Amino acid sequence: MNVPFFRRDRHLTELAAPLHDERHQVTSSFSYEKCRFVLECPCGAEFDTPYIDEALEYVEMHQKLAPLADQMEESLPRSA
């Protein structure tokens, strides 16, 4: 498997995730019915939490890791 963002010759702190991919713009709202913050991404990812700090961390994490997951899917061989 070819994983272009992971190289054994580099230290992990040197690797940087792509920033702000247009396909992964998380929108947030507050559900008064559930009393929770609801986060949705056009890629289909959904998350809800009662804690604002957890919601902010999720947005940051999703925007950094989702493009890497997309790259991994693209590099995987397609099975027939």
Side-chain angles (χ1 to χ4, degrees):
M1 176 171 60
N2 180 18
V3 185
F5 52 85
F6 180 71
R7 305 242 188 309
R8 293 196 186 277
D9 59 334
R10 292 190 200 167
H11 193 274
L12 287 177
T13 57
E14 295 175 9
L15 300 175
L19 296 177
H20 305 294
D21 188 345
E22 295 298 322
R23 295 176 292 179
H24 299 288
Q25 293 297 321
V26 178
T27 58
S28 61
S29 61
F30 188 79
S31 171
Y32 288 98
E33 297 169 357
K34 298 183 199 177
C35 196
R36 296 174 79 83
F37 295 95
V38 179
L39 306 165
E40 297 176 343
C41 182
C43 72
E46 295 180 0
F47 183 73
D48 66 89
T49 179
Y51 308 108
I52 185 67
D53 58 336
E54 191 174 278
L56 294 171
E57 287 177 9
Y58 176 82
V59 170
E60 182 180 345
M61 179 181 66
H62 184 76
Q63 288 178 340
K64 289 184 179 180
L65 295 179
L68 295 177
D70 292 344
Q71 287 179 12
M72 287 182 68
E73 286 178 5
E74 292 169 3
S75 67
L76 291 176
R78 303 273 187 237
S79 59

